[in-house]
Amino acid sequence: MTSTPLPAADGTTRVLWRWTSHTPDAAARARTALICALDQFGFEGEGLDDAVLAASELVANALEHAPGPYEMRLRCTAAELICEVVDRDPRIPVVPAFPAAAPFEPDPKKRGGGVDALLETLGERGRGLHIVHQLACGAWGFTVQRREGAKVAWMAIPRA
């Protein structure tokens, strides 16, 4: 990992990590790069954990469903940090419908609710983007860079 200065709140984008499908421990290394960057911006606790978990899901999706090389970028604005995960598949994935709010209400006979109920509802697979949606409070999506033949999965991390 290189020590590149982090972006000012001017929309400048910096690459935090680049990898290929053959890079050992790529997902863990991408998480570490994001943790280091967010730490420098003063993020901590639950906000940091949520951002890293959501970014991990975007990285895992890229590794599983799209060819590389890949990169994780961070763009800083006055209101938020935008974490981007880039892959070399310009197709936007089909996102399964999000369950209605009712399944996420805590069941008095079961422990928890929220994300735990969401995971139970969705089963073992196909829940990554739902997790991103919950943790990013709906502030995420995809863009296509046709000229580069790439897709960008992004999520916003609000500044405290």
Side-chain angles (χ1 to χ4, degrees), residues 40-70:
Q40 290 182 26
F41 276 106
F43 283 83
E44 57 186 16
E46 191 175 319
L48 174 68
D49 294 342
D50 288 353
V52 171
L53 177 56
S56 294
E57 292 297 334
L58 296 179
V59 168
N61 279 353
L63 285 166
E64 183 174 345
H65 300 292
Y70 313 91

Side-chain angles (χ1 to χ4, degrees), residues 20-146:
T20 69
S21 56
H22 302 293
T23 302
D25 301 319
R29 294 167 82 179
R31 280 191 302 274
T32 299
L34 182 60
I35 289 168
C36 290
L38 294 178
D39 182 61
Q40 290 182 26
F41 276 106
F43 283 83
E44 57 186 16
E46 191 175 319
L48 174 68
D49 294 342
D50 288 353
V52 171
L53 177 56
S56 294
E57 292 297 334
L58 296 179
V59 168
N61 279 353
L63 285 166
E64 183 174 345
H65 300 292
Y70 313 91
E71 63 184 30
M72 178 182 279
R73 304 186 300 208
L74 193 62
R75 184 166 30 99
C76 184
T77 70
E80 60 198 4
L81 301 176
I82 309 295
C83 179
E84 302 174 335
V85 176
V86 183
D87 63 51
R88 298 300 177 249
D89 182 354
R91 297 174 296 163
I92 301 293
V94 175
V95 180
F98 288 94
F104 306 112
E105 295 299 321
D107 181 340
K109 297 176 187 170
K110 296 182 182 177
R111 185 173 164 230
V115 173
D116 291 335
L118 173 64
L119 297 180
E120 186 176 321
T121 300
L122 294 172
E124 286 299 312
R125 306 239 343 122
R127 59 187 178 205
L129 295 177
H130 295 274
I131 292 171
V132 172
H133 184 77
Q134 289 285 76
L135 295 173
C137 300
W140 68 281
F142 295 97
T143 59
V144 175
Q145 299 175 333
R146 297 222 185 274

Side-chain angles (χ1 to χ4, degrees), residues 9-26:
D10 62 1
T12 304
T13 301
R14 295 284 187 268
V15 175
L16 297 179
W17 179 249
R18 286 188 176 111
W19 70 96
T20 69
S21 56
H22 302 293
T23 302
D25 301 319

